[in-house]
Amino acid sequence: SNRNDLCKFPEPPGHPLLGHISTITSTTSIIYNLSRYIENYGNTLKLNIGPSVFPLSKSLVTIDYKFVKFVLSHNKILKKSQNYQFFRRWLGNGLLISDGDYWRRHRKILTLAFHTEILKDFVGVFESVGDVLIGKLGKYDGKSSVDVHRLVTLCALDTICETAMGTKMNVQSGENSQYVESVQQMGRIVIERTLSLIKVSKYTFWLTRDYYIQKNALKILHGFTLSVIDSKRNKPVEKTTKRMAFLDLLLKVSHDENILTIGELQEEVDTFMFEGHDTTAAGISFILYCLADHPEEQEKVLQEQKELFGDDKNPPVTYSDLQDMKYLECVIKETFRLYPPVPIIGRYTTEEIKFDDSLIPKNTNIIFFIYGLHRSSEFFPQPEKFKPERFQNFNSAFPYAYIPFSAGPRNCIGQRFAMLETKSIISKIVRHFEIKPTLPRHELKLSVETVLKSVNGIKVTLKKRN
Ligand code: HEM
């Protein structure tokens, strides 16, 4: 029977009723526990994350190369795992969680908005928004520490608004943003609902404080995206032969071709606003943290900048300059290996699938533990070590061993956007500041809150370069 097929996979002992949520109880214990399970039970294992009412009560967790490749490249396993349902109230049927023909149609349209020619136009915005960040970081010159994550997040939000959405929001000019706070809350709540006996069901969720936090957060999140849409909607889209950026394109498609209702449009704006800033903000912050810990590698990044721009700290950076920052690219890749901003993703089988000698039954959640995959010594010798050089001759015979942007038909649509933005910001910061570890050294407390976070922030010390 179906169940028997999953039973072929090793399963750690769990609580008879609660399964494995009795060990995986919080967003901060996920990485530790999954890593330990894999160490002890192998690269693919069966977990029951919660009793049968739980979305992940029947799951395979994997870092097995062949299995990862098989599923992610499969053209019929495109549905997201059941825990993504907790995003619905926020992101509706946006690209991250939609599936079937609806997803296919939207993916095709939205791909146009990330064309190279459009990305080239964004470089100036990455630069000018980044300059505001440099000004804000300057206030921490010589101070004992700065939590870069908070400041970088505001910068990344301004960036996605001014590029894809075509609207200046200037969130960086304030210290806080209710939108940013609400994103953090929702990212956490979505994961906690997967792990909590009370939060999992809507009938008991409302008894918790998080229900009210979510209710308030959703009001703020949707209010913000609506204001972004409104600021564009009332302006007639210029008749132009130029390629159109994300929101212009969506407005045009919804207006001219009637394929997209305004509600559907807002769901995509909510999705891209979130995916387009929370991920890059985490990524950029982890890179700064790694550079602080690795002065030699930081020096190489700086030398590369000097080769490109001499001693000019504020050069007019072009798209092609960003392409030429090869060593920096290795640093970014190595950081995304050790700290993948999206550490876990999931798929769901809608029919029985045959893989090797196994039949994976219909209705199985397949969870890809990207964080664990990236630390496997099979593909990354001395996996715990920060070695950007490994990407100078990375063995591309195993493309599915390194998947910070996922892979296959549902990979990250914003991957090239993210790389350009990250290069623009990091190169700028390195030209202006020496990044050093705080004293005593700040130890990250990693937490899977959809995006990888550190519950105590991501802190470094900054010193202005002469
Ligand atoms: C360092 C930055 C980023 C990382 C590490 C990252 C990673 C990922 C990953 C792993 C997925 C697959 C998710 C899944 O299977 O559930 C994904 C999907 C997606 N990403 Fe990114 N992302 C980044 C930046 C961006 C940016 C800048 C945008 C938009 C401008 C974006 C938009 C999306 C969207 C819309 C999807 C869903 C695509 C689909 O299902 O067709 N991401 N991303």
Side-chain angles (χ1 to χ4, degrees), residues 72 78 80-81 84 94-98 103 107 110 114 160 163-165 246 268 271-284 332 336 339-347 368 370 403-407 409-419 421-422:
L72 288 185
L78 296 172
K80 297 296 173 84
S81 51
Y84 285 64
L95 201 68
L96 181 69
I97 49 182
S98 58
W103 167 77
R107 174 94 187 190
L110 292 169
F114 291 89
I160 192 72
T163 52
M165 308 305 163
F246 177 84
E268 297 299 2
T271 299
F272 279 74
M273 194 87 98
F274 159 55
E275 274 280 317
H277 93 283
D278 206 25
T279 48
T280 50
I284 290 166
I332 296 171
F336 290 1
Y339 302 103
V342 179
I344 296 175
I345 60 176
R347 296 289 186 272
F368 304 91
I370 297 177
I403 51 166
F405 295 100
S406 182
R410 288 211 79 160
N411 70 350
C412 176
I413 197 171
Q415 172 168 354
R416 290 194 306 139
F417 178 107
M419 283 306 278
E421 176 186 359
T422 304

Side-chain angles (χ1 to χ4, degrees), residues 68-117:
V68 170
K69 180 176 174 193
F70 176 81
V71 178
L72 288 185
S73 62
H74 203 293
N75 264 319
K76 288 215 174 103
I77 315 174
L78 296 172
K79 207 175 161 78
K80 297 296 173 84
S81 51
Q82 287 173 296
N83 55 322
Y84 285 64
Q85 69 178 283
F86 297 127
F87 277 114
R88 289 253 167 215
R89 293 285 315 281
W90 175 17
L91 305 178
N93 207 20
L95 201 68
L96 181 69
I97 49 182
S98 58
D99 65 273
D101 286 340
Y102 184 92
W103 167 77
R104 224 177 286 278
R105 214 167 52 237
H106 283 225
R107 174 94 187 190
K108 206 169 151 190
I109 298 169
L110 292 169
T111 298
L112 298 172
F114 291 89
H115 191 278
T116 308
E117 294 307 313

